Amino acid sequence: MAMDKKKIVAALALIPFFAWLVGWGKPEYFLALALPLGALVGAYELGRLTMPGQKFEQALLVMASVFACMASQTGEMEATVGAVCAIVVLTLSALLFKERDLAAIYTSTAKIVFGAVYVGLLLGVVVAIKRLEPGLGNTKLLFLLFALTWAGDAGAFFAGSLWGKRKLWPAVSAGKTWEGLVGGFVCTIAFALGVAWFSKVWIWQDGLILGALVGVFGPIGDLVESAIKRGANVKDSGVFLPGHGGVLDRIDSILFTAPIVYYYALLYGPLRIAAQ
């Protein structure tokens, strides 16, 4: 169960910066600047994995992802849909000048649009949570999003290390086990219920539902990124953080859990979540 020392040092060094960025960057401008930078690096990593050697297409993916991230930060459906439409039209137009092979244009456009939605649009939802109206969540809910997701990761790691025997999906990830998956799910729900019990941030029903949703979709996000890496035959998406791999390796679960928490708060928050 020994953990990489570089991974521990890097995580500890980033905690104060992360807490300031999420909690005390007023009102959300620093976070709104940091996430497009994260989308830029994440899209660069994804481009290298899915379109190796295609520099022009990689550049389009990076620009499209940053654009999608900035649009989804607003939390406005019109801006998000408009951004995706613009990305499709502009990507097709740009590739038409470069390629005459329609099959190649179609394939590259599909990868770029997917990457922009996967990295940029989903990551931008983190800022949208911060911008929720008081009473729906914002800063506290954003902290809880990360805490729940990381509680699931930690639970999966320790349960898998202690009891893991049956491989979850060896063709995608050799280290993940069913025991780790169950341990992460239970740990996420327990953490959510603990928050409800001790801090009254939300009622226990919301803690149970959000814990279960994050406990399911966090590992799915992790598996999706693992499948992309396996397709590219690499271990890490990049070398951005010592011992932690690339940006995609750090945000893969958040990309899936952030929209879950955001739309849950929008649908049920006014009635039940007491995050302020």
Side-chain angles (χ1 to χ4, degrees):
M1 198 189 300
M3 296 185 70
D4 191 326
K5 289 183 179 179
K6 287 194 298 184
K7 183 178 292 188
I8 296 174
V9 171
L12 293 176
L14 287 174
I15 287 176
F17 173 71
F18 171 81
W20 172 81
L21 188 66
V22 172
W24 292 280
K26 296 296 184 180
E28 70 277 332
Y29 300 129
F30 294 105
L31 189 64
L33 288 173
L35 288 193
L37 290 175
L40 187 153
V41 179
Y44 172 72
E45 293 173 354
L46 184 65
R48 294 182 64 192
L49 294 176
T50 58
M51 299 180 290
Q54 296 176 261
K55 299 296 183 184
F56 183 73
E57 288 79 0
Q58 290 178 16
L60 289 178
L61 171 57
V62 169
M63 290 187 289
S65 297
V66 172
F67 182 50
C69 183
M70 296 176 69
S72 67
Q73 285 182 358
T74 64
E76 297 176 0
M77 187 63 70
E78 294 84 356
T80 303
V81 173
V84 174
C85 292
I87 288 169
V88 172
V89 171
L90 294 175
T91 300
L92 282 170
S93 301
L95 291 176
L96 197 61
F97 283 99
K98 178 179 179 287
E99 289 278 358
R100 288 296 179 267
D101 182 347
L102 290 179
I105 292 175
Y106 171 78
T107 301
S108 296
T109 300
K111 290 180 178 178
I112 291 168
V113 174
F114 161 75
V117 172
Y118 174 61
V119 179
L121 193 149
L122 296 184
L123 188 60
V125 175
V126 171
V127 179
I129 293 175
K130 175 89 172 176
R131 287 175 168 165
L132 283 171
E133 294 292 330
L136 289 179
N138 61 52
T139 301
K140 287 182 181 177
L141 196 59
L142 190 52
F143 270 120
L144 287 169
L145 160 69
F146 285 99
L148 283 178
T149 306
W150 291 339
D153 289 343
F157 173 77
F158 286 107
S161 300
L162 290 172
W163 303 297
K165 292 181 180 177
R166 290 169 292 187
K167 298 295 183 182
L168 176 62
W169 193 358
V172 169
S173 178
K176 293 181 176 62
T177 62
W178 282 103
E179 290 80 3
L181 182 70
V182 172
F185 181 75
V186 171
C187 190
T188 307
I189 292 178
F191 185 88
L193 291 176
V195 171
W197 178 265
F198 290 106
S199 69
K200 311 298 182 185
V201 169
W202 51 36
I203 60 175
W204 72 268
Q205 292 93 335
D206 285 315
L208 180 64
I209 295 172
L210 280 174
L213 289 173
V214 171
V216 168
F217 285 95
I220 292 176
D222 189 12
L223 283 172
V224 167
E225 199 250 353
S226 294
I228 293 172
K229 291 189 298 184
R230 180 55 63 96
N233 198 29
V234 299
K235 180 178 182 297
D236 296 321
S237 65
V239 292
F240 184 73
L241 294 173
H244 287 260
V247 166
L248 281 182
D249 294 317
R250 293 300 90 207
I251 64 173
D252 51 8
S253 296
I254 292 293
L255 292 178
F256 275 48
T257 56
I260 296 294
V261 171
Y262 175 71
Y263 285 105
Y264 186 88
L266 281 184
L267 290 173
Y268 300 107
L271 298 178
R272 302 198 302 182
I273 290 179
Q276 292 299 306

